[in-house]
Amino acid sequence: MGALKRWLGGALLAAGLAACAQVATTSGGAVGVNRGQSMLLSSQEVERMSAQAYAQQLQQARAAGKLNADPALTARVRRISQRLIAQTPAFRPDARNWRWEVNVLSTDDMNAYAMAGGKIMVYTGLVKQLKLTDAELAAVIGHEISHALREHTRENMSQAYVQQVGLSLVGALAGFSADQMRLASMVTDVTLNKPHSRAMESEADIMGLELMARAGYDPNAAVKVWQKMQAAGNGGGPEFLSTHPSGPTRIHDLQARIPQVWPLYQAAARKD
């Protein structure tokens, strides 16, 4: 019986993966991001749940007096973010219609994230402890925006959902109503706690590089910010860095991509 259950579980898991729709969430851009993505959940569902989770994060931060408590830093983060957001149609035109939100959380933690649909949060600890320049901050925010554009939360949730459902997968595929609470809690967990895959992180790195170049920020700053993060690690590394590929690997990959986006940066600099 145990062997039968294991076989059935494996068969259902395979069926669930097969049922995931293959989508292209973005165009490739100048850097050529073209990996196919398997999605079981709809973008509308994940965006709705992300908006709810983000609202809860804002409520908690506001109650603790930690939401946008530094007006100057908040204005700076929003200014940089808006320049990057203006470039998102290069990867997906519908992003210009997203309900973007940009906020700052006062905490010593070094982190930042962007939930599905453009819900951005930057932690003060990341900016202040690493003494990020505007261009370096643009590299971090551009990386997080790229996660949202590629719908990596939706992709991660689809994978996690298939894995968690197991033997009940067939019934779940008929409708998600019985699992809405589980999915809702998964949004925050996937966005804040679970590491993205190396493929997803590499995509966010190189897409973020293009976004910052298009916005007029020197793409070489992306290399500098990761060098700072590596130096701040003392072996363990900041929370933001802990979910990512090794520092030397990502730095090498970013350096290799800079020539692709350099003309975009030069064109943007001429406009300024």
Side-chain angles (χ1 to χ4, degrees), residues 91-110:
F91 288 104
R92 53 183 301 168
D94 66 310
R96 63 166 54 92
N97 299 320
W98 285 4
R99 295 181 178 179
W100 293 91
E101 295 184 58
V102 183
N103 291 286
V104 175
L105 178 67
S106 293
T107 173
D108 290 336
D109 295 335
M110 292 194 286

Side-chain angles (χ1 to χ4, degrees), residues 115-226:
M115 288 188 173
K119 310 302 183 186
I120 300 170
M121 185 75 79
V122 174
Y123 291 20
T124 57
L126 183 69
V127 182
K128 294 180 178 180
Q129 293 186 48
L130 297 184
K131 296 180 173 60
L132 297 181
T133 65
D134 281 7
E136 291 167 350
L137 186 51
V140 172
I141 299 173
H143 174 99
E144 293 305 319
I145 287 175
S146 298
H147 277 309
L149 294 176
R150 286 290 284 172
E151 300 187 52
H152 286 153
T153 294
R154 177 186 171 203
E155 187 175 6
N156 265 339
M157 286 179 65
S158 295
Q159 294 171 357
Y161 187 77
V162 170
Q163 293 169 359
Q164 288 183 16
V165 168
L167 291 176
S168 62
L169 182 58
V170 170
L173 289 176
F176 296 109
S177 60
D179 299 291
Q180 289 300 315
M181 292 304 295
R182 173 163 45 183
L183 289 173
S185 64
M186 197 184 295
V187 171
T188 302
D189 189 41
V190 167
T191 303
L192 300 181
N193 303 325
K194 292 291 194 302
H196 293 295
S197 73
R198 287 177 181 266
M200 295 177 191
E201 289 303 332
S202 295
E203 287 175 351
D205 274 355
I206 63 175
M207 286 177 63
L209 196 70
E210 180 168 340
L211 286 174
M212 68 182 296
R214 287 181 179 276
Y217 293 105
D218 185 348
N220 287 291
V223 174
K224 294 178 181 178
V225 72
W226 298 123

